Every structure is written in C-alpha cells, then in structure tokens.
Amino acid sequence: MQRKEVEKSYINKINELRKHDKAYFKQDKPIISDRDYDEIKKEILNLEKKYSYLKNKNSPSQKVGYEPSSKFKKIEHEIPMLSLANAFSKENIEDFLKKIKNFLNIKDSEKITFSAEPKIDGISASLKYIDGNFTLGLSRGDGKTGEDITNNLKTIKNIPKKINKPNFPKILAVRGEVYISKSDFKKIAKQFSNPRNAAGGSLRQKNPNETKKIPLKFLAYGFGIVEPKNFEKQSEYLKLLKTWGFNTSPLNRLVSTIEDIEKNHRMIESQRSTIDYDLDGLVYKVDNLKLQNRLGFVTNSPRWAVAHKFSAEKGFSIIKSIEIQVGRTGALTPVAKIEPTNIGGVVVSNATLHNEDEIKRKDIRIGDTVCIQRAGDVIPQVLYVDKGKRNKNTKKFDFPNKCPSCGLKTIKEFNYSMKKKDAVTRCPDPKFNCKEILREKLKHFVSKDALNIDGFGKKIIQNFWDLNMIKYPADIFNLNFKKISSLNGWGDLSATNLEKAIKKSKKISLAKLIFAIGIRHIGQENAKTLAKYFVNIKKFEKLFDRKKRKKILNYLLELDGIGETQVNSLETFFLNSININTVSNLVKELNVTDFKTNKFGIFYEKTIMFTGGLSKMSRAEAKALAEKEGGKILSTASKKLDYLVVGDSKPTPKKVEKAKQLNIKILDENSWYGLLNR
Ligand code: IVH
C-alpha cells in the first residue's frame, strides 16, 4: 500500500472508533458488539506497529484511558474521603511531628507511634459492607460525593464479597486503592500511558464486562463509617483487615522517631523497583485512633497523617521555546516547551521555570538540553542545564517587562514577611480587567474545590472563552445551551448534561463561594474562617459598603489565620467596583447556604473566648473543640461574649477583669474540661 492510502485507512478506522466511542459512552447506544469494537482497535494498533510513521492523538494507543462515563449515580460519602498533605524532606517530616505535638500540647520528648504504609499510586475506592455483605462501592469523586461503581468493583477478584467473621463490624466502609500490578500492566501497556490511568479508566467503565478484562487488584488501608468500632489503633485495624480476607501491604510498619521514619523510607525507596506496583511514597498515620480524633482535620486533609514522597523521577529534553503564562493572581510564570519525553511513565512536554531569577541563576537558554524533574502530581520543573550539550545556536530569553495579556508594565511586589522583593513578576491589573487573569479566575471558579461543576473543566472554559461566551463567573449561569449543543464536539445530550451540572452547582456553601471568588491570599482555610465569621451571604455582602467594610476588616484582623496580608487583599479587592459587581451578579445566580455550626453541641449559639495556656490541650485544639460543639470563638471581650475560659498559664489580667465587669461566665481549666466531659 502507498503511504497515502495507509494513512487514509488509518484515519478512517480512528474516526470509526470515535463514532462508536460516542455512541457507547455518551449516548449509551452501542452500534456494534464489544468484539467488533475490539477488532477495529486491534487493526489500528497493528497498523501503527507496521508503519511507525502513523500517529494520531485520537488513536487508542495515545488516549489516556477510556472516556469517563457520566452515567454513574452520585452518592454522598458518609464520611468524606480526604487527601493527604505532602512531605518531601526530613524538614517537612519534622514539621509534621512538631505540629502534631503542638496541637496535642505534649512534650517534644514524648513519643508518638505512626503506622507507616506504602502509598500505592492507584485509584481510591470505598467499599461498604452491611452485615458482612459488600453492598456499595464508591469512587472518591470530589471527596464528598463519589460515584456508584459497585458493579465494577465486584469484578475485582481480591475484594471479598461476603465476610463471615464474628468480629466483623455490622457496618464498615473499607477504604483502599484499586491498582494494576506492574507485571499485569505490561500486558496491556499499549492501550494506556501508565498503570494509574489504566486502573482509573477501567474502573470507571460503564460496562463491568470491560472492567473485568483488566486485571485490577485492591489494597485495603483505611475505613470510613464503622459500627461498632472494635479496634483502637490503625495497626490493629490493618491486622483485622487481613484476617477478614482483605489484601493489605506486607510493607506496613510501626515507626516513631524521625530516625525510624527516615530509615524505613530509605529502605522501601531502595526496594521500589522490585515491588510489583507503583509506589510514590509512604503514608504516616498517628496509630492511636483517639489521638487521631483529637487532631481532626483541616479543610482537605487530616492533621494526623502525611504522605512522605519518594524522590522524583528525572529525564532530559531540549527546550524548544519559552512561553509566559499569566495566572489568576497575575503571576507571570515562564514555562519551557520541551521536546516531549517520557519521564517515569508520563509524557512531559511542559516544565516550569518558576520565575525570571531562576532562569538567570540557572542560565537557561532556548535550545538547551535540560534535566527535568517530575514528582507525582506536581508540575514538572527544569532542574539544570547540561552545559556540555550547549551549542552556539542557543538563545537567551528576555523576560518581558509588560504583561503579555494586557500590555501593562509588570511589577515585583515587596514581600513584608520575607522583608525583600518578591521573585515573582506580576501583572498589577489595577482595574481587575486583564483578560488572562479573568480567564484563569474562571478556571479556578469551576474547579473541584470551588464550584466543582461536573464535566466543566479547564478545556471547556478555554473553549467558551475563545468563543466569547463567558467572561465573568455569572456568565456561566446564563449560557445558551442550544448554541452549545451545535458546537463542534457537543451534542444535545452533552449540552443537557452540562446544563444540569451547572444548575446543581448553584447551591453552594458560603465558605466555598468565598474561596471560589478567588481573592488573593484567601485560600480554602481562610475562606472557611471568613465564612465562620460572616455566617451568611447577607453579612458577607456588607463588605461591599465602604464604611461598613472598614469596621469589618478591623474585626477580621482578630481571627486566627487572618493577618494584614489577607485584610489588605480584601480591601484592594472590594475597593474595585468591577469586583463588587462581579460578586453581586454572581450571588444573584446562586443559592448560598449559611455556614453550618453544629446545632446540637453544648456551645450552640454561644460565644467563647480563651486567655492563658491550658495544660492538657493546645489553644488550637480547644478552639476546634468549642467549634465542634457549636460555639463561636471571639477574640475580644464584649457584651456578646458568653464564656471566658481562663487557662492556668499566663492569662491576661485585663481580659479577665473586663469579663468580670461585663458579668460574663468565667470558666477555669477544670470546669472547661468538665463541660467537655473530659
Ligand atoms: S490514607 C485521610 N493510606 O493517597 C486519609 N491513602 O494523597 C487519606 N493512598 O486518596 C488516605 N495509599 O488514594 C491512605 N496507605 C494509604 C494510601 C493512600 C495510597 C492514596 C489514596 C489517597 C491519596 C492521598
């Protein structure tokens, strides 16, 4: 066959496969049998094998897994499935240990035992058992709501379907990782870029018979709901899991000192290549569940656990060009476009150069051969230049002094906490109208931790943006779905699905909304703190009013975690009428739910203030407990205050005095513990 004919036949087959993908995944109406479908796929792969010049991004050899189906029922997890904070160094681990000890208010010399477990790079799932029967299997989803993938999970051989053990809890959600072993992956490697994608794609197949074809395994390591809880330690639970018939890791250990931790990490990292599944680090969990309970959570991850990553994978490539990306905070980030190269199973074609100083310091030029590092889900970065390979055609990069998006002169801010000029070049965007910033803000707005609009990702934002369909967040709620259904790549079904997802996202908590707006320096934790303070959207909207704002911002300074940086940022944001309009237009489209305080706690509708250190718990834990019991923390004594808790260690006499004058109930340490029943 002539090359042209080969190419034509190849493209035809790919297009045919795409047609069937659409019929199967999107419309739920397969036109051909699974076997015929597989036949077309095989023909494409065979052609690629025979003619090495054939390549197409829609080929099954290039596609990253199967297209996820939107067909699964969404079900809320009874206990959220959170993620983990990462630690990359000994210092990070020391920090983790210190924070735990501070929170629990225990001495540095006291030991805490951790369950050290391998962190398999797979897809997490939660398996619910009622009376020993596997009844519901959920994917992690956004952590709060997962997808019902029970039937697919049932095809996994090492998942027990029925457990007949007297000590098995009446209700138990077993959490763990679905993965493919490296040896099994080799057999199907042509279809997927790495084992994790293969596992994810297979697990989210609509047809369990497709899942069955791929050799998935399950490794158990955690729990969600448990009734009754008949274990007190994570290590005890891991042992029980094994006796109940679950696959657990033989590499699980108990560690406590930093030396233990480092030694175990080194040892397992050195065995990494001989272990038959992909590991990207170790997880340390406080072994004692009572302590875990005391430590609790920050927004997305527990205080009692951390992921200690292995060192990153490295590779070499050539810089083809350097582009500047403008982020939602106005930061100009130089990105190296490199010759695509496979680093540890993932094809990398972009790597960050961080900022202007880094380019200068590392003397990075266009055309240079550079070492690239990729660590887990972190953006790949350029480590250094292989100067031996530098030729005379390499070109220095002139960092722009104007924003490539709006043309304004860029700035470098003064960082007050570091007491020096920031390394980051920024678009000052005084009018909050720089196009790329606006577009990046939209991407943030729809992202998982913000509005979390199902199926509305960065690519769609870009697409609608290019078509001038959206500019501000409120535009998302006024899209023309008729028009969307006629766009390239869209149809009635996909447009209706998007419409439904957008409608669903309209109900949003105040904390998520504050985060979604994307005010600089207001991350998830701060957004939650602010939501706790404002309680409802009406009160938050008072920030729009200049006079009221001033007063409020003063109060905010008193909140834990809110400092001058945050207050200044809020001030700058709301000084601009475009921002006020953007937010009020948005609020009109939404149903913003109030910050939820626990309505059943002993401090429901009560306010509490602390002064002086407590002996049995840190201030942070005491505040967390008061909030868990429905209370609101205040930092100044006023008539609004219900309780002042006076710790034994150095209370402020003025505060106690004022509370006495105002006739506020004063609790000493003992009565505080007594109230909490501790
Ligand atoms: S514990 C709140 N244990 O890592 C506790 N996670 O980055 C969160 N993972 O979503 C999970 N091995 O998919 C835990 N032994 C292990 C793990 C593990 C792998 C994954 C899991 C999780 C992610 C967090």
Side-chain angles (χ1 to χ4, degrees), residues 616-632:
K616 290 193 200 155
M617 59 179 71
S618 65
R619 179 79 69 87
E621 185 180 2
K623 285 186 177 176
L625 274 172
E627 280 170 355
K628 212 169 167 182
E629 290 292 339
K632 193 172 173 177

Side-chain angles (χ1 to χ4, degrees), residues 82-84 117-120 123-124 140 177 221 283 285 302 304:
L82 299 168
S83 52
L84 294 168
E117 307 163 14
K119 184 170 184 294
I120 289 203
I123 303 291
S124 52
R140 177 173 184 271
E177 209 78 354
Y221 53 68
V283 182
K285 302 171 184 169
W304 44 264

Side-chain angles (χ1 to χ4, degrees), residues 26-84:
K26 285 215 162 132
Q27 290 149 355
D28 199 16
K29 273 194 203 132
I31 309 165
I32 53 169
S33 70
D34 284 1
R35 183 183 286 195
D36 289 345
Y37 178 90
D38 287 345
E39 197 50 45
I40 307 174
K41 207 152 92 180
K42 216 159 84 197
E43 281 169 16
I44 297 171
L45 299 177
N46 282 341
L47 276 175
E48 284 177 0
K49 231 187 235 166
K50 202 161 158 197
Y51 305 102
S52 57
Y53 56 82
L54 291 175
K55 206 176 168 187
N56 186 292
K57 71 174 193 315
N58 290 314
S59 154
S61 67
Q62 299 296 314
K63 270 202 186 168
V64 193
Y66 295 113
E67 189 160 345
S69 169
S70 52
K71 287 280 144 57
F72 296 109
K73 211 163 113 194
K74 299 266 170 17
I75 295 184
E76 202 163 314
H77 296 291
E78 280 153 310
I79 294 178
M81 285 181 85
L82 299 168
S83 52
L84 294 168

